[in-house]
Amino acid sequence: MPGLLEIHNLSKSFDATKVINDFSMEVVEGTLCCLVGPNGAGKTTTMDLVTGRIKPTSGKVIFAGEDITAKHEHVIARAGIGRKFQVPAVLRDLTVRQNLEVAYSRQTNPFWNLFKFRKAGLKEKLDEIATLGGLSGRLNERAGILSHGETQWLEISMVLMQEPRLLLMDEPIAGMTEGEIEKTARIFKDLRKTATLIVVEHDMGFVREIADVVTVMHMGSLLATGTISEIEADARVRDVYLGEKEAA
Amino acid sequence: APLKKGEPIKVGLLFSLTGALAVPEEDSTLVLQYAFDEINKNGGVGGVPVEPVIVDAKSDFGVYSEKTKELILREKVTALFGCYTSASRKAILPTVMQRNHLLYYPTCYEGAECTQNTICTGPLANQHSQDLIPFMVEKFGKKVFFVGSNYVWPKESNKNAKIWLEKAGGELVGEEYIPLGSSEFGPVLGKIRDAKPDFIFSTVVGASDIAFHKQFKQEGFKVDSMPIASLTTGEIETRAMGAEFGAGHFLSAPYFQTLDNPTNQKFVENFLKSKYGKNGTTHYNMEETYLTAYVFKAGFEKAAAAVGFENVTPRAIRDNSGGIRVEDNISPEGLVWIDENNFNTWLKPKIGQCQADGTFKIVKAAAEHVKPDPYSIYPDAGTCTATGLKGPDGKLRTNVI
Amino acid sequence: MDIGSLLNALILGVSIASIWLIAALGLTIIYGAAGVINMAHGEFIMLGAYSSYMLQYYFGLPYLLCIPASFVIVAAVGLVLERGLIQYLYNRPLDTLLATYGVSLVLMQGVRLIFGSDPKYLAAPALFSSNISLGFASVSTFRVVILLVTALCVLGIWLLFYKTRFGVQVRAVMQNKEMAASFGINSSRIYMMTFALGAGLAGVAGSLFGVLAIVLPTMGASYVVQAFLMVVTGGGSLAGTVVASGVTGQLQSVFAFFSNDTFARFLIFVLIVVFLRFRPQGLFAQAGARR
Amino acid sequence: MSTLLNFDNVTSYYGATRILKDFSFEMQKGECLCVLGRNGVGKTTLMRTIMGLTDKSTGAIRINGTELTGKAPYQRATYGLGYVPQGRGILSDFTVRENILLGTFARADKAPEIPELCLRIFPYLKENLDRRAGLLSGGQKQQLAIARALAVGPQILLLDEPTEGIQPNIVHEIGEILKMLNKELGISLILTEQHIKVARKLGDSFIMVDNGRVVARGPIEDMTDELVERHMTI
Amino acid sequence: MGNLYHNKTAQWLVYAAFFIGLALIPSFVDDAFLLNQLATYGVYGMLALSISLCWGFGGILNLGQGIAFGLGAYGMAMTMQMQSQSESNPIPPFMLNNSLDALPWFWEPFSNTAAGLFLAIAVPTLFCAIFGGIMFRARVSGPFFAIMTLAMLSAFYTIILDRQPYTGGVNGITPPSALQIAGVEIDPYSSTAYLTVLGILVVATVVAKLITQSSFGLVTQAIRDDAERVRFLGYSVAGYETMIYTVSGMIAAFAGCCLVMLVQYVSPAQMDVSFSLSMVIWAAIGGRLSLLGSMCGAFLIMGAQSYLGDTFLATWLLILGGFFIIVVRFLPNGLASLLESALGLLASKPKTSAEPNGDAKPVPAE
Ligand SMILES: Nc1ncnc2c1ncn2[C@@H]1O[C@H](COP(=O)(O)OP(=O)(O)OP(=O)(O)O)[C@@H](O)[C@H]1O
Ligand SMILES: Nc1ncnc2c1ncn2[C@@H]1O[C@H](COP(=O)(O)OP(=O)(O)OP(=O)(O)O)[C@@H](O)[C@H]1O
Ligand SMILES: [Mg+2]
Ligand SMILES: [Mg+2]
């Protein structure tokens, strides 16, 4: 069975520096794949490439059997890829509710949306997600005033509102308390039933908890891939990334 | 509204007191106030004083249009005096015509218009350069370069000038138009340098004109060997550019401050002394505006005599204004009269040369009055008569603008 | 149409460029560093011309001294304006556009009330109304003066912004006021100085334009749009403005040489649109921040 | 040991909203203070209040006895405050070098040089001094933010979740470095951390914040699991 | 609960009351000048509305609204001019004077009134769709788009000025008589003209208001906030931007037509940079985030210009300038925000202050 997302020999250079170097990976539908690697390894850049934010120098990205390499961001998003950014990106001047409403993007055509005043199924979905993200009490707040952790939750909720087939989560738990981390882990594990996830995280405890597969990047290339225990046992990964203490 | 004996006659003064057009138009307002004061002191018009309603058109064509309506419909003025640029005139004419009202338009313009609601006291394109071109050709040589601002009046003026040029045996070596308000004359002066004309014929207006004369000298052109013969560079312009930049150049106009006749001396002296003389000079545009007040007075009185004071309407004034004369003892430029057909003015253009102190020395004055002809270069269009434009096919068209 | 005249056109292009550049220079600093869209820039230029006129007419100051003096006067006006109004608007960039538009009306009408609406005369040394002939090329002395003053100003600003601690502070403040403040930079002082500097440069431009063209309360309006085009096309950086003015000035001169001034303008406007189509961030803009 | 920082009944506002309420605590020289609490309780606001970045604050904040209230942020910075904000606050158009140099503006001696320490700790930065900082990866930016704060030559480092987004082995290293700065160089630390483990390891004392108020404080040993349970789980 | 100002029903009621009030004016006022003047204000209101939609709502600052407005106005002027030409006299006089002896091809369709009116709206709308489409696709935004519209406007201005034989140059086009539709003349001073303009204004407002309340409106707001982010939610940002820019341009084109109907005159001044700037100013003063507020801004400023102007002759610009400064300094969202905060005070104890445009943000993401 081919993967939902396949990355083939992807490379990306900025000026002279090669940031992604012949990187390939494959994510099977319904799994949760953790993408880890040292700072600057190219994880975020890989996400940029998958979501069309930047175009690769060479290589291909295939999603659900379709080549999406040269597509625009919104086309890729419509195809079913949702993304949470590393630096939380929410619509700061809109209220939390509006943020979620916009994210509920069933109809994206500007012309048809002119005549749409109420979105079917929005209310239930919004209530559900807001409760999940702990935002119910703040729905009418302007998103710009949320604290860092709350912003993280809002962005995760937005991705959930999108109901994408593939979720890319760039450091979703940065700045969360331990309790919240557990909750996030639960949510992610639940999501696996209906969607596929790629999660970038440095918190190995979290990775250990959720990952089906772990892929390690280093200097733009694939360093290792396997289950969490295989990875933690890998000397190279310990060397460049985990350090002795973490692995111990 | 019918006029009442004993109540002042309201007239509208529609000029810009602010904005880019304020420079010439503020003077127009001032001189008209002066003129009406003078008229009122001497018994008014038809025995009653004139009350000017002054509005500020703010150099905005939208405001010109709006204020015209306000003056006509709300203030119920008997006549309008206004506008300096053709564009503003065109902006208000639909209203003036629609209400069958009367506009006194007091400055030089391109003609090619035949409405039944205007009276103009400035020179038409055909009057202006008639003497200037032959004079320059004779004095400096055959080759001439035309420079103008990029709009209707300079282009029309130049069409006329070309006719005179051909008659005088001159040769056109270049023709350039500068965007309105532009102050960059480098490229044009470069072309002039290449074309090596004997003199330049300029219809550049406003701030651009001042920049033109300044840069002319700064770029090393010499006034003795290549003077500028202009239709616009008068007393205010030379003062603003500094006499050193104006000195030696030529201007054709019906009026100069230095005109040597008793009426003018009195006019200049009294005006500058009055509270309206704050800008310190008189010039052709001002004097042409001054004349409108007297043309109005004469026209009104003639109309009053014809239909009775109470029944004087703008229409009646206009119908009675053909042939009105402003005599030597009133007109600072000397006798002028209104053409009976096209309601422009018969006048004598004069040529002045700017002196080191910024005043003009009259070097030539037309011997005869020159007939105004708004369609001089479009004979096919027909002739303008009091009732409309009579085409070659004999058909009469009214309100041709 | 020989080589000589084409060469002349090229030289003239440099001159036109320097005129546009000096007009845009103050704006670049104010927009680039403080993010303020200063619609009153044209009126600052006008104030520069009037300051020179006033100093010359009432105090008999020689023209060459009027140039720096205008810098000081207009900078002072800019300072007052910044303290009194602009400092409250820094986090509302588009509002500065409106507020400064109001300021421009006030300045224009204020000057008109004081000095009248008739044009004023600004005298320059006789030397400046001559030209320099270099074989077949010819250029006016005054244009050379403008070029030199412009070059001097650009150099000065470049040194100030890229070679001094002050420059680092300005650039830090312009990127993130809060962070700059957290590291000991008095951002409000920096804004104030920058604004004053920008205004002062407009003053210099004004005293030059007063001699080249005309001194009128409305004179500023004709420069401000052009200046804006230069600054934005340049992407808000000093180098960008220099190149944008340089290229457009040259194009204006060359187009005008081959056709006429009006058409040259039209072409330039169209070219700017086309250019921005392909470089939507202007010249020398850096790639946007990452997420 | 003497009192370095003192909060006396501080209330801090965004617009008209009170975020910190009647905040009081004291911090000794050389101490490492951990600020703990759930999301949105006001930890970041506390840091910003110290720097003077909130809209308004009442009450008294003192450093070495000097009153800070009423002073602008740029003046406060010169009291030896090195700030690592949440979200990092890197100037993206500056190079790495310029970003670090930015820190030196708040130095007491104003020396415009990059302290050797900053680069020693973060070799990546040393190798990439002339890169545009906006292009760095998230973790690299975090490192840069810490280096910049060190360039101030601070008495107190304000660290708002400093290890967020940093790879595990460097997290570990940063922990060591902070310890070193604290114990060897005598730099006091105020640290917000979500990881109780890290807090326990590094901290000398803690304050627990809930809904803008201090709900518990004391030496780190007093931080019971019960406290953590009550104020930090959801 | 909450602020009445944000209550949709209340908003619609206020709009309805406002327009009904305006519609009743002709039954009380019998002053040809006033009706004509008010109708002209209606045109300005339409322009402010279009700016409010595009800038206030869509976040696209358009300094070149004069393009759509001017093209519409020229279209109308050409139509009206051709109405006064006849078989025997097929060419407008200004063309004759410019030595044209045949009607230029692009004037031909305007001989037919219906076609002319259609083109007067269609051409500017199409222009906006194409220009906007190209530019937004290239991701030109913010001040860059503003400057682009400005440059485009200047280009149009220059070329119209220069192509005198076809456009009348600086003098513009002056149709000598009023517009006739199906043989009926619409006297610009009549209540018919007034009501026509008002009718168009009402339709434009309702359409604009509906747009802002639709899903489209929400997405547009999101784009104004952070276009980059919205792309990743699957929306084609360029599509939305082009759409709102085009609708706004279409409203401006209608305004252009109405103006010429009222004043029988068009000139490049309609495409002057300063006029397009004024439109922005009206919207800003009135409150660009509020459609009604923007319209009122236009009424207010143009009214002040007409009625304060001559009382204060020399100082009116000072007053106007000072007024802008004060409004911008103290009322960031224009006069409408005055009402908003007044109603906000009335509303039951606001929990958090609705600080507009919140000045203090938490640590900004770099
Ligand atoms: N636009 C760009 N121009 C130049 N270099 C870039 C650009 N974008 C990213 N880089 C470089 O590419 C490398 C990979 O960056 P990336 O953000 O993908 O790392 P990451 O794996 O997400 O790291 P982290 O865990 O710290 O977030 C970094 O060294 C970064 O500096
Ligand atoms: N500019 C602002 N205006 C109004 N309220 C604000 C503003 N900034 C933050 N807040 C509010 O203040 C509260 C505290 O925020 P703060 O950022 O200090 O939380 P925090 O404890 O740092 O949380 P986290 O762990 O998520 O970073 C939050 O409820 C937040 O919504
Ligand atoms: Mg990353
Ligand atoms: Mg925080």
Side-chain angles (χ1 to χ4, degrees), chain A residues 38-45 86 170-171 200 202, chain C residues 290-291, chain D residues 136-139 165:
Chain A
N39 294 133
K43 305 179 293 295
T44 303
T45 310
Q86 180 164 6
D170 204 347
E171 308 204 359
V200 170
H202 289 298
Chain C
R290 303 185 63 209
R291 285 195 192 268
Chain D
L136 297 186
S137 81

Side-chain angles (χ1 to χ4, degrees), chain C residues 5-291:
Chain C
S5 13
L6 186 60
L7 194 67
N8 253 326
L10 293 178
I11 294 177
L12 184 69
V14 176
S15 162
I16 295 178
S18 73
I19 292 170
W20 289 358
L21 180 55
I22 187 91
L25 212 49
L27 202 61
T28 313
I29 295 179
I30 293 177
Y31 174 76
V36 171
I37 302 181
N38 180 20
M39 294 304 288
H41 188 73
E43 277 57 46
F44 284 167
I45 293 180
M46 181 267 292
L47 283 183
Y50 271 90
S51 317
S52 294
Y53 162 75
M54 203 171 64
L55 291 169
Q56 188 176 73
Y57 189 79
Y58 295 104
F59 306 103
L61 205 66
Y63 175 69
L64 282 178
L65 290 182
C66 288
I67 300 179
S70 302
F71 177 89
V72 175
I73 294 178
V74 183
V77 174
L79 201 87
V80 172
L81 184 65
E82 201 276 344
R83 283 295 89 185
L85 176 66
I86 310 294
Q87 66 156 326
Y88 304 105
L89 304 175
Y90 283 122
N91 32 23
R92 292 152 44 191
L94 282 176
D95 287 353
T96 55
L97 185 150
L98 306 169
T100 50
Y101 185 74
V103 171
S104 83
L105 293 183
V106 169
L107 288 180
M108 203 192 306
Q109 189 62 17
V111 166
R112 183 179 287 125
L113 284 180
I114 298 169
F115 293 98
S117 54
D118 55 320
K120 298 292 183 222
Y121 167 60
L122 189 56
L127 175 67
F128 290 176
S129 12
S130 63
N131 72 326
I132 303 170
S133 238
L134 325 145
F136 40 73
S138 155
V139 54
S140 90
T141 317
F142 192 67
R143 284 178 183 271
V144 176
V145 172
I146 296 182
L147 187 66
L148 290 179
V149 174
T150 308
L152 216 66
C153 289
V154 171
L155 185 70
I157 290 172
W158 183 77
L159 287 176
L160 186 66
F161 272 52
Y162 293 94
K163 296 290 155 198
T164 65
R165 296 268 280 175
F166 175 78
V168 179
Q169 298 188 11
V170 174
R171 288 185 297 135
V173 170
M174 107 197 189
Q175 287 179 68
N176 189 333
K177 197 163 104 188
E178 232 170 42
M179 277 301 110
S182 304
F183 289 97
I185 297 175
N186 182 347
S187 49
S188 86
R189 199 179 120 255
I190 297 286
Y191 274 137
M192 187 171 84
M193 308 276 284
T194 313
F195 202 86
L197 180 66
L201 285 168
V204 171
S207 54
L208 295 172
F209 296 165
V211 170
L212 189 71
I214 191 168
V215 184
L216 264 182
T218 44
M219 66 185 278
S222 50
Y223 296 103
V224 69
V225 171
Q226 184 75 41
F228 256 114
L229 290 177
M230 295 304 103
V231 174
V232 175
T233 315
S237 67
L238 181 63
T241 309
V242 171
V243 175
S245 317
V247 172
T248 28
Q250 201 56 260
L251 286 178
Q252 169 79 32
S253 176
V254 172
F255 287 158
F257 177 73
F258 285 112
S259 66
N260 68 61
D261 270 280
T262 316
F263 196 65
R265 279 196 185 200
F266 170 74
L267 277 180
I268 286 190
F269 289 132
V270 172
L271 281 181
I272 287 177
V273 172
V274 173
F275 170 78
L276 284 178
R277 158 70 181 76
F278 290 102
R279 269 203 75 94
Q281 302 304 319
L283 274 167
F284 301 125
Q286 301 191 299
R290 303 185 63 209
R291 285 195 192 268

Side-chain angles (χ1 to χ4, degrees), chain B residues 17-18 54-56 58 60-61 63 65-67 69-70 73-74 86-87 90-91 94-95 97-99 110 112 150-152 155-156 159 180 375 378 395 397 399-401, chain E residues 31-34 36-37 41 88-89 93-94 96-99 161-162 164 168 170-171 174-176 187-189 262-265 267 269 305-307 309-310 313 316-317:
Chain B
L17 303 175
T18 47
I54 300 163
V55 295
D56 177 6
K58 302 178 181 112
D60 176 338
F61 300 148
V63 178
S65 160
E66 181 186 333
K67 291 294 174 190
K69 292 170 189 165
E70 186 172 342
L73 296 169
R74 182 167 281 175
S86 290
K90 301 264 188 201
T95 311
M97 296 185 313
Q98 211 248 6
R99 295 279 134 181
E110 63 276 1
N150 191 357
Y151 74 106
V152 188
K155 289 186 175 170
E156 295 296 298
K159 283 182 196 161
L180 271 171
Y375 286 91
Y378 306 106
K395 280 215 183 98
R397 285 162 56 209
N399 294 341
V400 180
I401 55 175
Chain E
D31 175 346
F33 170 68
L34 192 66
N36 183 270
Q37 190 181 41
Y41 291 174
S88 64
N89 173 32
F94 76 87
L96 285 176
N97 302 350
N98 283 290
S99 357
L161 215 57
D162 193 48
Q164 201 178 296
V170 72
N171 283 359
T174 315
D187 175 4
Y189 303 91
L262 293 171
V263 303
Q264 292 180 32
Y265 172 67
S267 82
Q305 164 150 324
S306 305
Y307 289 95
D310 297 338
L313 268 188
W316 85 271
L317 273 179

Side-chain angles (χ1 to χ4, degrees), chain A residues 15 17 19 37-41 44 86-87 138 147-150 152-153 171 174-181 183 186 202-204 238-246, chain D residues 37-44 86-88 124 131 135 137-141 143 161 163-172 194-198 201 228 232-234:
Chain A
D15 304 327
T17 40
V19 172
N39 294 133
T44 303
Q86 180 164 6
V87 176
R138 312 211 63 169
S147 80
H148 179 71
E150 292 163 334
Q152 291 275 39
W153 273 111
E171 308 204 359
M176 287 187 184
T177 57
E178 282 165 6
E180 288 178 313
I181 294 176
K183 182 171 138 189
R186 270 200 312 276
H202 289 298
D203 184 326
M204 289 315 281
R238 288 228 306 244
D239 191 33
V240 299
Y241 183 60
L242 296 175
E244 291 313 312
K245 183 203 140 256
E246 188 71 40
Chain D
R38 266 194 290 270
N39 289 137
V41 293
K43 303 182 295 295
T44 300
Q86 192 160 33
R88 308 170 187 126
Y124 176 83
R131 261 177 86 100
L135 305 177
S137 81
Q140 292 161 345
K141 282 183 184 160
Q143 300 175 8
E161 310 202 7
T163 54
E164 187 188 304
I166 293 190
Q167 68 192 71
N169 52 359
I170 296 190
V171 171
H172 180 69
Q194 305 285 12
H195 296 85
I196 310 294
K197 247 192 280 167
V198 181
K201 208 177 89 194
V228 173
M232 290 199 56
T233 45
I234 18 169

